Amino acid sequence: METRLLGRTGLEVSLIGFGGIPIQRCNQWEVDEIIENLIEEGVNFIDTARAYTNSEKMIGEALKQWGREHFFLATKTPQLRYDDVIADVKASLCDLQTDSIDLYQFHNAKTMAAYETIMGPGGGYDALADCKKQGLIKHIGITSHSYEVLERALEDDRFETIQFPYNIVENRGAPLFEKAKLSNVGVIIMKPLAGGAFMNADYALRWVAENPNISVLIPGMDSVKQVLDNAKIGNDFVPLSETERQTLEADAKALGKTFCRRCGYCAPCPQGIDIPMQFIVEGYYRRYDLEEWALDRYRSFAANASDCVSCGECEPRCPYNLPIREMLTKTRELFDPLV
């Protein structure tokens, strides 16, 4: 597996890392198999978060079996203030069953006001700095979907890593990564597959990996097959050919800008709708000539777009500010006449 330096942390991390958000829907034995195969494929970086329900706990159980020493562990807190951050660090240590976490990050600092709270008196940064002095964590990072927040973080020069979405559609981060490289700050790429929206996952990952300023890509994985497929990119990295690049660009053009990244932050829906899956099957129907398959999947859902009551609880939780209710209406209008 190709490795890259994670900025000033000094950690030599695998080009392909493991994104821990989707294993929330896995059983423990499935996570155990995933961790085993990560080791075999040379993946040595795991990213999870307090907000990913039981992800930390299942990873901790799997590492108890397969060995903590194989991985650099990264997790995240959504908390902003000192005491709350301390509580989350202690919970993470317990759930991951480890004495020290390699990288602890602030999770999705959405606004400059949130950032100022983290960095201000009684804020979370001081909490992580104290945890680092105590050896509970080794490095401090920050994640965000806001370019401006991470640009400010780089200016303050107190974080060792940043994490930001980046793929052929969401490519705004490239100048940010150049600045990070100059400051010796590690760059972690979330959403390299745009939440699974691309038909050619291989091409999408290679497009991201071509950027020399990034350190590690963390596609979410919830199966051994995904581990094996994604690890191939790091184990035998080859830049895109012109034909492959044109294919990916056509895929991206068809996708557009307003699409679901399957991050899952919109959940839970009070009506029991798996919102990302609604948009996935719609995409397969509209863009990929899989009409019958998509319609069968839509019919199989216990709750679907037709059950949306437009309560709006999902929309404030979406980091991309998607008009989810409007999108669900379009999904309903597509499928309901066919069901």
Side-chain angles (χ1 to χ4, degrees):
M1 173 70 68
E2 178 180 331
T3 61
R4 296 186 183 180
L5 191 65
L6 189 62
R8 69 184 69 158
T9 70
L11 304 179
E12 287 281 349
V13 296
S14 52
L15 175 60
I16 302 298
F18 174 74
I21 189 170
I23 61 168
Q24 299 170 80
R25 51 180 173 257
C26 293
N27 297 315
Q28 184 63 55
W29 67 265
E30 294 173 305
V31 178
D32 293 344
E33 286 193 340
I34 287 171
I35 296 298
E36 178 186 10
N37 279 270
L38 290 175
I39 295 170
E40 292 178 355
E41 294 300 317
V43 175
N44 71 359
F45 185 83
I46 290 176
D47 178 271
T48 182
R50 295 297 305 150
Y52 301 165
T53 62
N54 60 349
S55 178
E56 284 185 334
K57 287 186 176 180
M58 289 197 291
I59 289 170
E61 281 296 313
L63 293 180
K64 185 170 65 175
Q65 176 180 354
W66 294 109
R68 164 74 174 86
E69 69 276 7
H70 295 290
F71 297 100
F72 298 119
L73 286 181
T75 192
K76 306 184 279 289
T77 176
Q79 303 300 333
L80 307 178
R81 300 187 182 280
Y82 189 99
D83 290 344
D84 296 327
V85 170
I86 292 291
D88 264 9
V89 171
K90 291 179 179 178
S92 292
L93 290 166
C94 179
D95 288 351
L96 289 168
Q97 302 188 44
T98 184
D99 295 328
S100 179
I101 293 168
D102 297 288
L103 174 64
Y104 215 97
Q105 305 157 98
F106 290 101
H107 192 179
N108 192 21
K110 294 182 179 180
T111 64
M112 291 306 300
Y115 180 81
E116 295 297 343
T117 300
I118 290 169
M119 305 305 292
Y125 187 90
D126 286 344
L128 289 190
D130 286 347
C131 289
K132 185 176 179 180
K133 291 176 184 176
Q134 298 169 38
L136 301 179
I137 68 173
K138 296 180 181 177
H139 306 284
I140 301 173
I142 185 170
T143 86
S144 183
H145 292 79
S146 166
Y147 186 104
E148 290 73 22
V149 166
L150 294 188
E151 188 173 44
R152 172 64 180 276
L154 290 176
E155 291 172 357
D156 288 346
D157 200 29
R158 297 174 68 185
F159 291 96
E160 297 167 271
T161 67
I162 60 170
Q163 186 177 141
F164 193 68
Y166 185 61
N167 53 64
I168 193 171
V169 174
E170 300 171 276
N171 52 25
R172 185 188 179 201
L176 191 70
F177 307 151
E178 291 181 17
K179 295 178 182 178
K181 184 78 168 184
L182 292 173
S183 299
N184 199 21
V185 172
V187 174
I188 303 166
I189 299 301
M190 58 171 148
K191 309 296 186 293
L193 295 175
F198 297 119
M199 283 293 286
N200 296 284
D202 175 284
Y203 297 174
L205 289 177
R206 286 160 60 199
W207 185 91
V208 176
E210 286 178 342
N211 189 321
N213 297 316
I214 68 114
S215 307
V216 55
L217 295 67
I218 52 167
M221 308 181 214
D222 61 7
S223 71
V224 170
K225 182 181 185 303
Q226 290 175 358
V227 171
L228 298 179
D229 289 345
N230 293 339
K232 287 179 183 177
I233 307 304
N235 283 323
D236 187 24
F237 175 64
V238 179
L240 292 172
S241 68
E242 189 56 36
T243 299
E244 292 169 335
R245 194 177 306 279
Q246 290 174 359
T247 299
L248 180 61
E249 289 172 351
D251 195 7
K253 184 177 181 180
L255 192 60
K257 294 289 184 180
T258 305
F259 64 95
C260 175
R261 281 75 165 179
R262 295 171 62 186
C263 66
Y265 292 142
C266 57
C269 168
Q271 307 306 314
I273 302 169
D274 185 337
I275 294 171
M277 282 303 302
Q278 302 296 304
F279 303 141
I280 289 170
V281 296
E282 181 187 1
Y284 278 121
Y285 189 99
R286 293 187 190 276
R287 297 194 301 272
Y288 301 131
D289 298 322
L290 293 169
E291 289 91 346
E292 287 302 319
W293 180 89
L295 183 57
D296 286 344
R297 290 299 303 275
Y298 185 81
R299 288 169 174 158
S300 73
F301 297 143
N304 56 36
S306 300
D307 298 295
C308 176
V309 297
S310 295
C311 68
E313 288 190 21
C314 53
E315 291 186 357
R317 298 194 288 257
C318 177
Y320 296 94
N321 300 312
L322 294 179
I324 297 175
R325 287 174 289 180
E326 179 183 327
M327 293 166 67
L328 284 172
T329 297
K330 292 180 179 178
T331 302
R332 180 174 67 243
E333 290 172 349
L334 171 67
F335 284 114
D336 279 7
L338 306 173
V339 172

